[in-house]
Amino acid sequence: MDVGYHLVRVWQRWHSTHALVVIPLALIVVITLADVHSPNGVSLGPLLVAAPAITTAFAGPRLTGLIGALALGAQTFLAARSGGVATSNHIAQLTGLAALSVFAVLVCYVR
């Protein structure tokens, strides 16, 4: 009886955490698509910091790191698409996103 109870608890925790992963993944996709379809002067890429920041609330360090890496990949794609990754503005955006992602992983690890 005890084993069944623990299996149900593990399943519920796994199921709810994996359902919440949709939120940061959807943020990455929506922000990337919105940036692609926005006018040339509008840059929505910096909003990608929300994805790893939100993931910190419900996930562990590995999943938070994965979401941070995906956001960094999306930011790199957007930077390459809008003038090159080597511009000072894009380097600052990428560095800020990387720093926030590392900090979010450390917070998850300590928690």
Side-chain angles (χ1 to χ4, degrees):
M1 194 74 137
D2 241 359
V3 174
Y5 173 75
H6 290 295
L7 285 175
V8 168
R9 287 195 52 176
V10 168
W11 171 256
Q12 287 173 343
R13 182 174 174 206
W14 178 86
H15 188 61
S16 65
T17 300
H18 283 74
L20 289 173
V21 172
V22 173
I23 296 169
L25 290 175
L27 276 172
I28 292 171
V29 170
V30 167
I31 292 169
T32 303
L33 289 175
D35 190 273
V36 167
H37 295 295
S38 66
N40 286 340
V42 178
S43 177
L44 300 175
L47 296 175
L48 288 167
V49 298
I54 289 172
T55 308
T56 306
F58 61 84
R62 280 186 277 179
L63 185 56
T64 302
L66 176 65
I67 295 296
L70 289 173
L72 199 56
Q75 180 69 31
T76 304
F77 165 74
L78 293 173
R81 189 179 167 280
S82 69
V85 180
T87 64
S88 60
N89 186 27
H90 290 137
I91 290 172
Q93 291 175 12
L94 290 166
T95 303
L97 179 56
L100 178 109
S101 296
V102 168
F103 183 71
V105 169
L106 289 174
V107 166
C108 287
Y109 183 74
V110 170
R111 182 188 54 184

